[in-house]
Structures are given as C-alpha cells and as structure tokens.
Amino acid sequence: MAQILKIDDALAGALALLKAGEIVAIPTETVYGLAGDATNGEAVARIFEAKGRPRFNPLIAHVAGMAMARRIAVFDPLSTKLAEAFWPGPLTLVLPLAPGADIHPLVTAGLDTIALRMPQGFGATLIGRLGRPLAAPSANSSGRITATTAEAVAADLGDRIPLIVDGGPTPVGLESTIVKVDGQSLRLLRPGGIAAEVIEAVARRSLLREPGAGVEAPGMLASHYAPAAAVRVGATDIRPGEAFLAFGAVPPEMADAAVAVLNLSPSGDLREAASNLFSHLKALDQRGAATIAVAPIPARGLGEAINDRLNRAAAPREVTTGRHQAS
Ligand code: AMP
Ligand code: MG
C-alpha cells in the first residue's frame, strides 16, 4: 500500500522517489495529480500503467517558473500575456514544443505541441526542487472519478503507487482549463477551473469552441500520429524494403531482411517498450522505408495502449501523404 504523508513531511520522500523514476500522487490546486518526471520515459510509462489507460493521450507538463516553461515551449506575446495573468493557476496552455526541449515523447504522445501548466503550492515547490517538469494527469484509474482528496487517491490507486502526498481537499476541485494558442486565435480544448469569460477578458478575444475541437486533445485523430511510412502490425516476417520495429528477441532472419531494425524492448518489458514507442517509430520513419513492420506486442498491461497507438498508425489513411500509398 502507498505511504500517505502530509505535505509538511513529504518533500524529501517525494523528491527521492521522483528522482528514482517513480511516480507520486500529489495535491495541486485543481485535483490530485499522478506525477512523474516528464523527462524520464519509464516514469511516464508508469503513469499510464498505474492509471490503466487504454491509450497514450498526451499529458500536461507541470513547471515551476517561466525560465523552465520557456525551455519547453515557444511563447508568443499572446501566450506570454496569458501566462502572466493566470500562472501559477488552473490554466493549461497548449503551445509549440521548443526545439530541443527535454521532454520525453510519451508526454506529448509524439506531437509537436505541449500542454503546459504552472501549479501553485506543494507541486510548485516540488518541481522547483527537482528542477525538472512533472507530467501529471489526474490521480485516478482510467474511467474512475477524479480524486480531490488523498483518501480518494488511496482507495483507487493505493496498491499501485508508493506515495500519496496529503494536502487536504484540493481548493478548485476541477481540472484546469485547457486553451490552445494557435497564432492569434485561442481555442478552448477543455473547460475547467478558470472560466472562459475570464480568459477572454484578459486576451481581448473570444475563445473558439468549434465542435470537435476537444477531439484533438486525447489523440483521437490518427493523422496526428501517422508516420510517412506505412505500418504493418503483428509482423512475423520481413518483406522486401521493410524496416523492423522489434519487441523481445529478434529472429536473425528478420534482422537480416530488414533495411533497419530498432527494438522497443529486447527483454520484452512493456514499460520500456512504451517509453521507446514514439522515438523509435520516428527514427525508423526517418530511415525512409516504405513500410515499418512491427512485431506482435502482448495485449496485457501497457500493451493495450501500445497496440492502440500502432493500430492507429497502421489504419488506412484518408489522405495520402509521404511515402505511404493508401490502399
Ligand atoms: P489529464 O491527463 O486528465 O490531465 O488531461 C490532459 C488533457 O490535456 C487531455 O485532454 C489531453 O488530451 C490534453 N493535452 C495534452 N497535451 C496536448 C496537446 N499537445 N494538444 C492538445 N491537447 C493536449
Ligand atoms: Mg482525468
């Protein structure tokens, strides 16, 4: 069972666990978050594992201070104005990922944008001391209700995480408002702790709320993730010209036949495979093969989300881009 510590006693223990790549439930002003080092792929994979999320949707990276924020995302005058007005606080900004940002691709689900927020209180202190951003979705298992007390986190996730930091009931009790800054326009991706009208007053423009805008959020659109190469899942052989995304032991004849090989996890560890998924797909895509053949991935645990992502990449595409010919 998770240890539960009051915020005044929890800082050193939480820091040690986060530095070791573990995950910790922490109070924020919105709801309890399940936090892991956003630069560490295995830590981020642990978040998905503990929540039992069936797919890799992008996570919010939490920062302390504008210097850290600017190393991660590109701020234009409009996003700077919103950050100055509402941070620290329950506003999440979706911004272009900064070149060379030290953020693991599992946090952004391979997108070139990032959701950023600067929290108040214990989270801010923790991130400042760690010196690294924390990825932190709500601390509840997938499909369960969001937790706003340490007791609720313990009842749901207590047997899956080492530490819950108890800061009492969270003051806002709602998730953050998510706004995507798109040039001069602002889009409301998720209503939350700061009312849209308040944001509109500061930004001096209205928030766009196209139907379906939220779809963009959890990676519902296969096109966001589509590599230029075609993807063939469940591959047990290699056809001419294919690159190979392996898992576990690689049969020598498959290694020999492939134009390039990368292994998600030579030991067959799903957490390691999750943390390598986006970077390996991208790297193989950049090798220019027409098709990436992917070894079968077990459907248990994180395998469900890994297979979801791969099946999306393998799905027939409506628009033909890159080297892949829709069939
Ligand atoms: P949660 O995981 O509950 O904290 O929710 C995070 C929300 O932020 C989800 O709706 C995500 O899809 C959304 N989100 C995170 N990153 C992005 C991004 N780069 N673009 C759009 N939405 C994002
Ligand atoms: Mg949630």
Side-chain angles (χ1 to χ4, degrees):
M1 278 307 276
Q3 189 180 15
I4 302 181
L5 291 175
K6 298 277 183 203
I7 39 174
D8 293 340
D9 308 320
L11 190 60
L15 268 174
L17 285 165
L18 291 168
K19 282 182 186 163
E22 276 295 340
I23 56 177
V24 177
I26 61 166
T28 80
E29 73 272 49
T30 57
V31 299
Y32 275 76
L34 188 56
D37 178 351
T39 70
N40 178 335
E42 300 226 359
V44 181
R46 280 196 165 91
I47 294 174
F48 286 96
E49 195 174 31
K51 283 181 69 83
R53 269 202 183 166
R55 66 172 57 124
F56 294 125
N57 49 349
L59 304 178
I60 298 171
H62 295 72
V63 295
M66 281 309 291
M68 186 186 285
R70 287 183 191 283
R71 286 195 293 273
I72 299 172
V74 180
F75 284 77
D76 63 10
L78 179 56
S79 29
T80 304
K81 188 174 182 180
L82 291 173
E84 281 171 356
F86 296 109
W87 282 0
L91 175 68
T92 294
L93 295 172
V94 175
L95 301 171
L97 191 59
D102 188 8
I103 286 287
H104 192 275
L106 201 50
V107 175
T108 59
L111 298 173
D112 54 9
T113 53
I114 177 119
L116 267 197
R117 180 167 104 76
M118 193 187 293
Q120 297 167 1
F122 181 81
T125 310
L126 187 63
I127 296 162
R129 288 284 300 275
L130 185 68
R132 274 177 253 160
L134 290 177
S138 52
N140 52 272
S141 46
S142 188
R144 293 255 192 106
I145 199 145
T146 306
T148 57
T149 62
E151 292 76 22
V153 179
D156 183 359
L157 298 175
D159 57 352
R160 279 176 258 165
I161 60 178
L163 175 62
I164 298 167
V165 181
D166 185 356
T170 56
V172 178
L174 273 183
E175 273 101 343
S176 59
T177 304
I178 305 182
V179 169
K180 181 166 184 180
V181 184
D182 236 345
Q184 284 310 300
S185 64
L186 296 179
R187 294 201 290 141
L188 181 66
L189 297 187
R190 178 177 78 185
I194 297 182
E197 293 75 9
V198 178
I199 298 168
E200 288 177 327
V202 168
R204 295 170 180 277
R205 69 201 75 206
S206 37
L207 290 181
L208 305 178
R209 306 156 197 238
E210 303 121 78
V215 184
E216 175 162 358
M220 309 288 272
L221 297 179
S223 60
H224 271 152
Y225 299 135
V231 171
R232 186 167 69 85
V233 294
T236 50
D237 62 349
I238 299 296
R239 300 173 189 164
E242 284 184 337
F244 183 34
L245 185 59
F247 177 81
V250 181
E253 67 281 7
M254 289 178 80
D256 289 347
V259 298
V261 184
L262 285 177
N263 200 331
L264 288 170
S265 171
S267 67
D269 173 20
L270 288 166
R271 192 181 294 148
E272 182 185 23
S275 91
N276 285 327
L277 181 64
F278 291 99
S279 50
H280 279 17
L281 266 178
K282 192 167 175 184
L284 283 182
D285 200 29
Q286 283 167 350
R287 298 291 297 267
T291 301
I292 301 169
V294 186
I297 312 288
R300 72 191 137 80
L302 281 172
E304 183 180 3
I306 295 173
N307 282 311
D308 170 77
R309 169 64 184 82
L310 290 168
N311 289 333
R312 281 165 197 279
R317 306 195 189 141
E318 281 172 24
V319 181
T320 304
T321 52
R323 296 177 292 273
H324 173 60
Q325 292 298 309
S327 52

